[in-house]
Amino acid sequence: MNFDFRKYHVRAINARDEAEKAAINQELKDLYDTLSDDDKKVFNEELQKFLVSQYKAIGNEYESLKKGGAFN
């Protein structure tokens, strides 16, 4: 199974307000609730990989900006 977390992430970034973000988060929770135990394990593993990749990308961007003098 392959979950498209980026789709939810982009929608949340572009949400009009906190209520829309909460609705998107609820969609993910509802999806999770429909999964079998095996699929929940895959979901959690893929979500963790996605989050780590996002944190790494943010860190890389920060370091790049820092080296470029944006924070000096």
Side-chain angles (χ1 to χ4, degrees):
M1 189 157 238
N2 204 3
F3 299 99
D4 187 3
F5 295 110
R6 182 167 305 282
K7 173 180 73 173
Y8 292 97
H9 180 65
V10 169
R11 284 178 55 212
I13 288 171
N14 294 313
R16 290 181 305 266
D17 52 30
E18 290 302 314
E20 186 175 355
K21 286 182 185 180
I24 294 165
N25 194 32
Q26 188 61 51
E27 282 181 47
L28 271 173
K29 290 178 182 180
D30 293 344
L31 170 62
Y32 185 83
D33 288 342
T34 67
L35 300 174
S36 69
D37 287 343
D38 288 340
D39 286 342
K40 284 179 180 178
K41 182 178 178 187
V42 172
F43 180 98
N44 289 331
E45 290 169 354
E46 289 185 14
L47 178 58
Q48 183 155 354
K49 287 178 188 176
F50 175 75
L51 292 174
V52 167
S53 73
Q54 293 304 297
Y55 287 130
K56 184 176 182 204
I58 290 168
N60 289 343
E61 288 178 27
Y62 172 78
E63 286 301 318
S64 178
L65 288 170
K66 196 165 95 172
K67 287 179 185 176
F71 295 108
N72 293 333

